[in-house]
Amino acid sequence: MKKLLTIVGLLATLLLQSQGYRISGKVVDDADGTPVTGAAVRLMLKSDSTKARGTITDANGNFELDMVRKGSYVVNISFLGYSPLVQSMEMQNEPQYLGTFKMKVNARQLRDVEVTETQVRVEQKGDTTEFNAAAFKTNPDATAEDLVKKMPGITSDNGVIKSNGEELRKVTVDGKNFFGDDAQLALKNLPSDAVDRVQVFDALSDQGAFSSFDDGNSQKQMNIVTKKGMNNGVFGKVYAGYGYLTDSRYNAGATLNWFKGNRRLSFLGMSNNVNEQNFSIQDLIGATGGGGGGAMRMMNAGGGGRDMSRMMQNSSMGNFYVGNSGGISTTHAAGLNFTDVWGKNVRFTGSYFFNLADNVNDKTLTRQYFNSGEDATLYAEKSSTTSRNMNHRVNMKVEYYIDSMNTLIVTPKFSIQQSRQQNGIGAQNTLGGNSVLSTSQSDYAAKNIGYNATTDVFYSHKFRKPWRTISANFNAAINNKNGSSNQESVNVFAADADSLLLDQQYEAANRSYTLSGNVSYTEPVTENGILLFTYTPSFNRNFSDKETYNRDWATDTYTLRDTGLSNQFENDYMTHKAGVNFKWKEKKAVFTLGANLQYAQLKGSQVFPFPFQVNQSFIDMLPTASFQYNFSERSRLRLNYRTSTNAPSIQQLQSVVDNSNPLLLSTGNPDLSRALLIMYFSDTTSTT
């Protein structure tokens, strides 16, 4: 029995030795002694590396391995960011603590990895061309105008921004109005680093956008999408500069924007004498009214002279769209713009702007007339014009989303302008460049004041049936202008030894009233087709009274009425237009065909210097057509054909003579008919 127990004890000892013992240790950082958690510990037998075991350290850097038998081993410890630790150790036939292993941080620095991607500069998304602002480099102090001028297809011509040759009439910021419809103010007073994307598209009127039919009032528009975070915060800039070479020049201004979600308040101000202008002279009532003068002649030469009330209804005119005038201007301007959302259903936008501009324009003109069978006549003129124009304007827009089916939009506008102008002209007509036919020296001075007020009301309703809608638009406008002038001139004609002396004074009053409306109804007729029925009435009344008096040298007063230069005229223009349009749309193509039947009546009545009546009526068929084909998201073809009529203005109908330049007289024609306008254009858009 004793021998048996000894044998069993020996066998048990051999069995335990064959199973091995537990080993343990700890891994820490060599620099600060902190535990290295998650380090990989690998134990390999030197005689056979395939026999390896491993574990990882716990949160305190400790590790354990069981069933380790006696022998020579290699301990390999590794962890990301540390140099691998390799150590040889002898294991005994007993539990063993291997001690603390210290790992050194791997100080080798990895090479920089740079990931580059080509930025998309331009994308075509349906009818919208979208530019990525980050793909165009500008100076740190650049404005949005500096940014957009770097974009393909967008140019700046005398301060007017154009896209593919078409004038941008309006710029919005994040889809909201910014200082009315004034494109220049938005672009000049937003910093370029606040811009994320720039979108250019053909914007329909409120009524056109609702019915999805172009009613002829569409205009090229730009929307600036600001960067994330820019809709909350305060940003702006202050700038000033002064220079002296042959004359003192200065330019100073400031812009400040406060954005908080939907609430946005912007202030801008500027003062300079380096010809940075906010409004052109021809856009101001004071410089366009019937007294003539340098600015008026520039308008006539350029095809102007339209009725003032109709001009003021145009969006560019009513909002004082910026266009530079000739000469050098000293400008002082300030404005406020406010946008907010009230409750869940009301969006409000309002702005006030003040502008004061002093302009000096010296001009030399040479014109040659080729007469049949005679020597050419040469006309030479030197003129100097100084003017001061001051205006205030207020624009508002209230959008009331009554519910998902009904919307009401009210857009009131008001402006008042004052102007003073002085003009001196020296002119000469010669025959063949040698024989003097006539000479003239004229001095002209005028003062004008006027105001314009318009209100546009638009209501729309959607029926439950898709694409069945009805909308109504009403517009009322009033324009009033009064002015006076003095003119002195000395005219010498070769055929008459005596000179002609003019010394005159005139008073002029112009008033205009306009009422117009539009009712539109859309009805789906096929899966892809919609019919649009419209009715548009309009009534416009104009009154002009110009009284010209010659100087009575005996009494030194202006009491002698000049009947050839005096006139009282009133005219009414009424139209009724009804039409139907069909629009068909499928995945890649959109086709529209329609026609309007218009009845127009033009009535004119002259009271002085002799009475006569003008009474004309017209019936016109005005067809329209458009076609658009989208080859892809980046390429499209668009064709448009449109007809309309334009009535002659009261200045064009009046037989009164404009003698602001005695050598270039002009007068209206009461027998003028309405003008039929046919517009056809096409464009192909492709972006890469």
Side-chain angles (χ1 to χ4, degrees):
M1 180 62 69
K2 188 175 181 179
K3 291 181 178 180
L4 180 62
L5 292 174
T6 303
I7 294 171
V8 172
L10 290 172
L11 290 174
T13 303
L14 292 173
L15 180 62
L16 289 173
Q17 289 179 350
S18 66
Q19 291 179 345
Y21 298 91
R22 175 179 294 179
I23 65 171
S24 61
K26 186 173 184 178
V27 180
V28 298
D29 186 290
D30 179 64
D32 55 14
T34 57
V36 178
T37 303
V41 179
R42 188 176 179 84
L43 186 66
M44 296 179 294
L45 190 63
K46 281 186 178 183
S47 60
D48 187 359
S49 61
T50 61
K51 296 181 179 180
R53 301 175 61 196
T55 186
I56 60 173
T57 58
D58 60 17
N60 298 317
N62 298 318
F63 68 89
E64 290 182 353
L65 282 171
D66 292 326
M67 309 301 291
V68 178
R69 291 182 290 178
K70 181 180 179 180
S72 298
Y73 289 85
V74 175
V75 179
N76 189 327
I77 304 175
S78 62
F79 189 71
L80 183 66
Y82 289 86
S83 298
L85 180 62
V86 180
Q87 189 172 336
S88 297
M89 302 192 72
E90 294 292 328
M91 302 301 172
Q92 305 300 324
N93 286 330
E94 59 183 8
Q96 191 171 345
Y97 180 72
L98 303 181
T100 301
F101 296 87
K102 297 181 179 181
M103 301 189 70
K104 294 183 178 181
V105 175
N106 185 359
R108 184 178 63 181
Q109 184 175 6
L110 297 175
R111 291 182 300 173
D112 292 337
V113 177
E114 182 177 352
V115 179
T116 60
E117 181 182 0
T118 302
Q119 288 182 319
V120 178
R121 293 167 63 88
V122 188
E123 287 186 279
Q124 189 69 37
K125 298 182 177 180
D127 293 338
T128 300
T129 303
E130 185 172 278
F131 300 89
N132 180 14
F136 303 90
K137 301 302 180 183
T138 58
N139 293 328
D141 60 343
T143 64
E145 182 183 20
D146 300 322
L147 173 65
V148 301
K149 287 193 294 186
K150 293 180 176 291
M151 298 174 177
I154 299 181
T155 60
S156 178
D157 183 15
N158 292 325
V160 177
I161 302 296
K162 297 182 179 180
S163 175
N164 295 321
E166 189 174 351
E167 189 174 329
L168 283 170
R169 295 289 184 175
K170 185 176 182 179
V171 173
T172 57
V173 179
D174 293 329
K176 301 177 177 64
N177 286 350
F178 194 82
F179 284 98
D181 292 342
D182 203 323
Q184 282 279 12
L185 287 180
L187 293 176
K188 284 182 175 294
N189 295 284
L190 279 178
S192 62
D193 56 8
V195 180
D196 180 41
R197 287 166 289 141
V198 175
Q199 301 167 332
V200 178
F201 52 93
D202 291 319
L204 301 176
S205 64
D206 290 330
Q207 196 157 29
F210 177 74
S211 65
S212 78
F213 281 81
D214 187 353
D215 57 3
N217 295 317
S218 62
Q219 58 185 7
K220 187 68 72 174
Q221 183 172 322
M222 176 182 288
N223 179 51
I224 295 177
V225 181
T226 58
K227 294 178 180 178
K228 291 183 178 180
M230 295 302 294
N231 60 345
N232 285 285
V234 180
F235 60 94
K237 71 173 183 179
V238 178
Y239 63 92
Y242 176 81
Y244 180 81
L245 184 60
T246 59
D247 197 5
S248 297
R249 296 295 174 194
Y250 72 93
N251 187 8
T255 63
L256 180 63
N257 300 279
W258 179 69
F259 288 2
K260 186 177 181 180
N262 291 316
R263 181 173 298 172
R264 302 186 174 192
L265 179 64
S266 298
F267 165 81
L268 60 90
M270 65 176 295
S271 179
N272 72 84
N273 64 349
V274 294
N275 210 34
E276 285 197 11
Q277 304 170 36
N278 285 280
F279 305 104
S280 66
I281 290 181
Q282 61 264 33
D283 282 345
L284 302 177
I285 286 182
T288 55
M296 187 63 183
R297 288 196 303 280
M298 286 191 291
M299 282 192 63
N300 291 336
R306 294 178 299 167
D307 174 58
M308 179 59 63
S309 65
R310 296 179 65 83
M311 292 175 67
M312 290 304 295
Q313 292 176 55
N314 181 275
S315 63
S316 63
M317 185 66 175
N319 290 284
F320 297 94
Y321 185 76
V322 178
N324 288 353
S325 63
I328 301 296
S329 287
T330 298
T331 305
H332 313 283
L336 283 171
N337 188 80
F338 178 73
T339 300
D340 199 6
V341 176
W342 298 334
K344 297 181 179 180
N345 302 332
V346 180
R347 175 183 292 180
F348 174 82
T349 300
S351 65
Y352 165 75
F353 201 86
F354 166 78
N355 177 268
L356 174 64
D358 292 306
N359 183 271
V360 178
N361 186 11
D362 296 331
K363 182 175 67 174
T364 299
L365 171 67
T366 301
R367 183 179 296 152
Q368 191 170 13
Y369 296 91
F370 295 95
N371 306 315
S372 177
E374 300 179 5
D375 292 336
T377 303
L378 185 68
Y379 173 80
E381 174 188 302
K382 288 186 176 182
S383 65
S384 178
T385 303
T386 61
S387 62
R388 162 166 284 202
N389 296 282
M390 180 176 66
N391 65 80
H392 305 262
R393 66 179 172 96
V394 178
N395 295 310
M396 288 184 289
K397 186 174 184 178
V398 181
E399 301 169 76
Y400 178 33
Y401 300 94
I402 303 171
D403 52 39
S404 60
M405 297 293 187
N406 299 277
T407 302
L408 179 67
I409 301 176
V410 181
T411 310
K413 301 177 182 179
F414 178 78
S415 60
I416 184 170
Q417 305 87 35
Q418 291 179 306
S419 76
R420 296 200 307 265
Q421 180 181 327
Q422 290 184 330
N423 177 247
I425 302 175
Q428 186 178 74
N429 273 321
T430 59
L431 183 63
N434 297 316
S435 178
V436 177
L437 299 177
S438 59
T439 60
S440 176
Q441 177 63 45
S442 177
D443 293 303
Y444 173 85
K447 295 180 180 180
N448 293 278
I449 183 171
Y451 67 86
N452 177 71
T454 64
T455 299
D456 187 270
V457 180
F458 170 69
Y459 171 77
S460 61
H461 173 74
K462 294 180 181 179
F463 294 92
R464 296 192 180 276
K465 184 176 181 179
W467 298 110
R468 177 181 289 173
T469 67
I470 188 170
S471 60
N473 191 84
F474 173 76
N475 179 273
I478 181 173
N479 175 257
N480 191 11
K481 176 171 65 80
N482 295 281
S484 63
S485 75
N486 288 85
Q487 177 163 321
E488 298 178 5
S489 66
V490 178
N491 310 289
V492 180
F493 301 93
D496 189 349
D498 296 330
S499 61
L500 176 63
L501 175 63
L502 292 179
D503 192 348
Q504 298 174 333
Q505 185 180 83
Y506 85 80
E507 301 284 339
N510 294 274
R511 295 189 298 275
S512 173
Y513 310 92
T514 300
L515 296 173
S516 63
N518 179 273
V519 178
S520 298
Y521 175 79
T522 61
E523 178 68 26
V525 291
T526 66
E527 184 179 353
N528 298 324
I530 307 173
L531 279 175
L532 168 68
F533 301 92
T534 60
Y535 170 63
T536 307
S538 176
F539 177 77
N540 178 247
R541 169 164 291 179
N542 299 276
F543 174 78
S544 177
D545 182 6
K546 181 180 179 181
E547 300 287 340
T548 304
Y549 293 90
N550 291 314
R551 185 175 184 177
D552 186 347
W553 294 96
T555 60
D556 199 22
T557 58
Y558 294 93
T559 55
L560 303 177
R561 176 182 284 180
D562 191 321
T563 57
L565 302 177
S566 299
N567 187 273
Q568 291 183 13
F569 195 90
E570 181 178 297
N571 80 305
D572 296 337
Y573 186 66
M574 179 181 63
T575 63
H576 293 272
K577 182 169 66 174
V580 59
N581 292 264
F582 175 73
K583 183 176 183 178
W584 177 80
K585 181 178 182 180
E586 60 99 27
K587 187 175 181 180
K588 289 190 174 183
V590 180
F591 177 74
T592 304
L593 180 66
N596 292 279
L597 181 64
Q598 176 178 283
Y599 170 77
Q601 187 177 45
L602 175 65
K603 290 184 178 182
S605 176
Q606 180 174 285
V607 178
F608 185 85
F610 56 88
F612 75 88
Q613 303 291 323
V614 175
N615 194 344
Q616 302 182 67
S617 59
F618 317 97
I619 297 178
D620 296 295
M621 180 62 70
L622 306 174
T624 62
S626 67
F627 175 75
Q628 178 175 313
Y629 188 82
N630 301 313
F631 297 99
S632 66
E633 291 185 356
R634 299 175 180 271
S635 181
R636 68 173 182 175
L637 171 67
R638 185 178 59 170
L639 305 172
N640 281 274
Y641 175 85
R642 184 176 296 121
T643 55
S644 62
T645 61
N646 190 19
S649 69
I650 193 169
Q651 285 83 9
Q652 293 170 330
L653 292 171
Q654 283 180 282
S655 59
V656 64
V657 176
D658 178 6
N659 71 332
S660 57
N661 185 344
L663 298 186
L664 292 176
L665 302 178
S666 63
T667 183
N669 180 5
D671 295 325
L672 284 178
S673 178
R674 55 88 180 88
L676 179 63
L677 306 178
I678 300 177
M679 295 176 288
Y680 168 80
F681 65 92
S682 64
D683 69 72
T684 303
T685 304
S686 180
T687 61
T688 57

